Amino acid sequence: MAYPIHRPRRLRRTAALRDMVRETTLAPSDFIYPLFVVEGRDVRRPIGSMPGVFNLSLEHTVAEARRAQALGVKAVLLFGIPDFKDAHGTQAYATEGIVQKAVRELKSALPDLLVIVDVCLCEYTDHGHCGLIEAGHVANDATLPLLARMAVTCAQAGADIIAPSDMMDGRVAAIRSALDAARFTDVPVMSYAAKYASAFYGPFREAAQSTPQFGDRRGYQMDPGNTREALKEVDLDLEEGADLVIVKPALAYLDIIRQVRDRVDVPVVAYNVSAEYSMVKAAAQNGWVDGDRMTLEILTSMKRAGSDLIITYHALEASQLLGA
């Protein structure tokens, strides 16, 4: 028998040994930090369902991004929440829209920070859906030009990466074509390629004020039971010009992350979504779990599953823990 010659515990005996042989490691540079930007001055409004996350006016957005960069986080993901919403989401692609202003402020103050913009209409429409409504349904093809316009105005403001999250068919091709036509050929597209219609998005909808006013998003986001469809969506987005692909959510879809990683040669991004974050926070606040250890364990699982980068609301605290 192998025992006692083989004793795997030998390499677990001390912290130094465990660190030396660790297969999967985390670093602040793995994280992308989401920020929710709102109009106004001196706004730092807590999100009730996401302890430690805030709606931020421009100056606080810059300050929060500065803290992230100081901890080694190299990228932020912006969501804009305008004061005015309408059926066409016009503030999404307005030159002076809140997210476009935030991009300019961030690139002026922190030129080395990577600024990624979430491109979708849900935060900007009065009905809360990700596209235009025609005859009571989200109209795929009519939405594409508006997403493309938003991508171009964000690139004009200085965005480093465009991240379409709407799940309209053909939106990567439409955005890539529009960026190229506007001479932003070097701006990458980080596509939410496999985005599931998930119960894990609940707290985000409070943060982004984007709850649908009727129906739900299962007509355009993916069914949680489907794997082959996720791989097809990834393939299609890469064919249309995506440079990076996102799997969202992450924790309940680690198998999808692994299969996507095994299939493609581009960077794979896991989105550690709002409820995944909030569940840890709620359990820790009740004293049921060690929140710090659980946070790092969950993020490690996403990296171990195959993600190269992780979008996470834990970015600041995880970076602090890693540096401790």
Side-chain angles (χ1 to χ4, degrees), residues 64-247:
E64 191 77 353
R66 195 185 304 277
R67 281 191 285 273
Q69 190 178 50
L71 288 167
V73 177
K74 297 183 181 299
V76 296
L77 174 61
L78 297 184
F79 297 91
I81 300 101
D83 281 345
F84 170 74
K85 302 187 180 194
D86 59 24
H88 291 80
T90 54
Q91 288 300 299
Y93 40 88
T95 303
E96 291 301 314
I98 182 58
V99 78
Q100 289 81 359
K101 289 190 290 188
V103 171
R104 287 194 290 270
E105 291 282 338
L106 285 167
K107 294 307 294 184
S108 175
L110 305 166
D112 294 331
L113 182 75
L114 287 172
V115 177
I116 308 167
V117 177
D118 180 272
V119 169
C120 189
L121 299 187
C122 65
E123 299 110 281
Y124 305 91
T125 55
D126 54 12
H127 48 74
H129 278 285
C130 300
L132 297 181
I133 304 299
E134 293 180 357
H137 299 282
V138 176
N140 190 98
D141 293 7
T143 299
L144 299 183
L146 304 186
L147 298 171
R149 286 177 63 184
M150 181 178 182
V152 169
T153 60
C154 291
Q156 289 169 337
D160 295 291
I161 299 175
I162 300 299
S165 65
D166 55 284
M167 288 302 284
M168 300 298 113
D169 293 338
R171 90 270 202 211
V172 172
I175 288 170
R176 183 72 271 159
S177 177
L179 289 172
D180 290 352
R183 299 187 178 182
F184 292 108
T185 55
D186 291 335
V187 174
V189 174
M190 184 173 79
S191 170
Y192 289 70
K195 181 178 178 180
Y196 287 85
S198 174
F200 283 88
Y201 301 152
F204 173 92
R205 291 174 183 171
E206 178 190 353
Q209 301 171 26
S210 62
T211 302
Q213 298 304 299
F214 63 90
D216 55 43
R217 298 192 174 116
R218 286 180 288 186
Y220 44 101
Q221 295 177 358
M222 289 179 50
D223 189 298
N226 292 357
T227 298
R228 294 190 301 272
E229 184 184 14
L231 301 179
K232 178 180 180 180
E233 287 279 12
V234 168
D235 288 345
L236 288 171
D237 283 6
L238 291 176
E239 287 176 13
E240 292 177 20
D243 301 283
L244 310 88
V245 293
I246 301 172
V247 176

